[in-house]
């Protein structure tokens, strides 16, 4: 990121890092035997992010809803391999939200709306206001949101993802990532994709055609392309056309969900790492502050 993007709006993929923190610090328990690793991990992450981007004054953390989403209604097997939230993680959510509220960090979840769609929509809202946006996530689905004003910070790799880095790695523009997932699927979300279409074949197709629609508008020509097993590729595409377009709907992050939010709403008000961990100790580590109901 250049000098003009040193203080972007920070949008943290809370659900992703909540689970990551839980499994990273699963054995952390207070004197009452209550788990607190997810809370600890999340606060550590937030502290590192706000320290790294210390000039950023706008931050929001987005969480998933437990309600059924449109994708699940569209495809019953969507995310079917995901296990239910462990009870030892569930009981840490309210204490975490209370701590975040006390330290002045805005959080948001919307019933029936996935975190990805909230993130995409908020990023779009603030981009239209002329802001630079930094999404903290390592979920590859997020790559479709990248623009000249919206970036991804992959904390695992400590790297900023821009349109240029996506083009360099995949040879396609960020928006084509929806089409890529429609073709190859996504095991983690159980998005089916087109069977036997791998990432190399999908990227070759997307370098020759504009998008999924364009591929199917030119389906009669695919057998003659210089692709390995081009005829089989064409046959698979024809056979699984409905699945490809279903996968596209499942993979596409919504960016137009009406959300009433302003920059003032997400302005950091009283955050300090010292105060954060003072509140953390009061909530979690003292014997008389049990948070299990």
């Amino acid at each position: 990121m250049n000098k003009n993007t040193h203080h972007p709006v920070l949008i943290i993929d809370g659900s992703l890092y909540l689970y990551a923190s839980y499994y990273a610090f699963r054995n952390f328990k207070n004197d009452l035997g209550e788990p607190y690793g997810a809370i600890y991990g999340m606060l550590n992450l937030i502290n590192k992010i706000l320290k790294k981007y210390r000039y950023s004054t706008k931050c929001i953390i987005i969480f998933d809803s437990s309600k059924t989403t449109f994708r699940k209604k569209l495809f019953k097997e969507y995310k079917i391999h995901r296990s239910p939230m462990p009870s030892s993680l569930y009981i840490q959510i309210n204490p975490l939200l209370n701590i975040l509220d006390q330290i002045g960090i805005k959080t948001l979840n919307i019933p029936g709306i996935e975190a990805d769609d909230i993130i995409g929509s908020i990023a779009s809202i603030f981009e239209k206001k002329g802001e630079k946006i930094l999404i903290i996530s390592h979920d590859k689905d997020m790559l479709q949101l990248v623009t000249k004003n919206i970036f991804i910070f992959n904390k695992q790799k400590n790297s900023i993802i821009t349109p240029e880095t996506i083009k360099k790695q995949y040879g396609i523009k960020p928006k084509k990532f929806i089409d890529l997932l429609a073709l190859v699927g996504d095991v983690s979300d159980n998005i089916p994709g087109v069977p036997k279409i791998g990432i190399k074949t999908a990227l070759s197709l997307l370098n020759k055609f504009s998008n999924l629609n364009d591929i199917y508008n030119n389906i009669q020509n695919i057998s003659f392309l210089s692709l390995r097993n081009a005829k089989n590729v064409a046959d698979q595409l024809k056979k699984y056309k409905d699945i490809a377009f279903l996968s596209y709907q499942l993979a596409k992050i919504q960016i137009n969900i009406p959300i009433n939010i302003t920059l003032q709403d997400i302005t950091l008000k009283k955050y300090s790492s010292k105060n954060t961990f003072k509140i953390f100790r009061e909530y979690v580590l003292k014997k008389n502050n049990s948070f299990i109901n």
Side-chain angles (χ1 to χ4, degrees):
M1 300 174 78
N2 59 39
K3 292 181 179 179
N4 295 324
T5 57
H6 278 175
H7 44 275
V9 172
L10 304 174
I11 304 178
I12 299 176
D13 187 347
S15 291
L16 186 152
Y17 289 110
L18 182 70
Y19 275 88
S21 297
Y22 171 74
Y23 287 109
F25 304 104
R26 199 187 321 195
N27 296 325
F28 281 34
K29 294 181 180 179
N30 65 12
D31 290 344
L32 294 175
E34 300 167 340
Y36 66 86
I39 301 172
Y40 172 79
M42 283 293 293
L43 295 180
N44 246 333
L45 167 77
I46 293 162
N47 191 45
K48 288 177 181 177
I49 293 297
L50 293 181
K51 185 176 180 181
K52 183 177 181 71
Y53 295 99
R54 60 188 180 277
Y55 299 114
S56 292
T57 60
K58 311 291 189 292
C59 180
I60 185 168
I61 305 176
I62 309 300
F63 292 97
D64 272 322
S65 161
S66 60
K67 302 293 184 182
T68 301
T69 68
F70 83 90
R71 291 183 181 85
K72 192 71 174 176
K73 293 175 183 176
L74 196 63
F75 183 54
K76 287 190 297 185
E77 287 77 25
Y78 179 68
K79 291 189 175 181
I80 198 170
H81 303 308
R82 302 280 181 96
S83 300
M85 179 181 286
S87 59
S88 54
L89 171 56
Y90 180 79
I91 61 173
Q92 298 181 61
I93 293 177
N94 280 338
L96 173 63
L97 295 178
N98 285 330
I99 293 172
L100 293 174
D101 181 59
Q102 285 194 47
I103 63 179
I105 295 180
K106 173 78 172 176
T107 64
L108 181 64
N109 73 83
I110 301 174
I113 308 294
E114 284 191 59
D116 288 5
D117 299 318
I118 303 173
I119 291 170
S121 297
I122 290 178
S124 179
I125 288 168
F126 290 137
E127 182 182 32
K128 289 172 184 174
K129 295 180 183 292
E131 298 294 323
K132 302 292 184 182
I133 318 297
L134 186 65
I135 299 170
I136 293 87
S137 178
H138 55 256
D139 188 340
K140 65 179 180 297
D141 298 355
M142 293 287 176
L143 298 183
Q144 65 187 267
L145 298 176
V146 172
T147 70
K148 64 180 181 179
N149 298 310
I150 300 174
F151 312 94
I152 308 288
F153 175 55
N154 184 326
K155 189 177 178 300
Q156 285 185 326
K157 298 181 179 179
N158 194 33
S159 63
I160 298 291
I161 299 170
T162 67
E164 292 73 27
T165 56
I166 292 174
K167 181 72 174 175
K168 183 177 180 180
Q169 182 173 356
Y170 295 99
I172 58 174
K173 293 180 179 180
K175 280 193 175 181
K176 285 193 178 185
F177 229 83
I178 311 170
D179 306 278
L180 179 63
L181 291 172
L183 290 168
V184 303
D186 184 349
V187 174
S188 64
D189 289 342
N190 201 37
I191 295 174
V194 178
K196 299 181 182 178
I197 300 289
I199 190 165
K200 288 184 179 179
T201 299
L203 288 173
S204 294
L205 289 168
L206 290 171
N207 275 301
K208 294 178 185 297
F209 303 105
S210 302
N211 49 41
L212 192 67
N213 276 317
D214 196 29
I215 289 171
Y216 276 96
N217 287 339
N218 290 277
I219 195 74
Q220 71 280 2
N221 300 320
I222 289 177
S223 296
F224 306 104
L225 295 177
S226 56
L227 289 173
R228 185 178 180 184
N229 298 319
K231 186 179 183 308
N232 290 340
V233 170
D235 289 343
Q236 288 296 103
L237 288 168
K238 291 174 185 175
K239 183 177 180 181
Y240 294 99
K241 180 178 179 179
D242 290 345
I243 296 297
F245 282 96
L246 169 65
S247 297
Y248 184 93
Q249 291 182 71
L250 296 172
K252 184 179 181 180
I253 294 175
Q254 304 300 304
I255 61 170
N256 294 310
I257 293 168
I259 299 173
N260 186 19
I261 193 165
T262 67
L263 288 168
Q264 185 61 35
D265 293 332
I266 65 169
T267 299
L268 293 169
K269 296 175 177 66
K270 50 190 174 181
Y271 177 83
S272 77
S273 58
K274 184 177 180 181
N275 188 47
T276 295
F277 284 97
K278 177 177 180 291
I279 294 170
F280 165 70
R281 286 190 293 273
E282 290 172 352
Y283 251 97
V284 175
L285 299 182
K286 289 186 177 179
K287 288 184 179 181
N288 61 346
N289 280 339
S290 173
F291 56 82
I292 296 179
N293 295 321

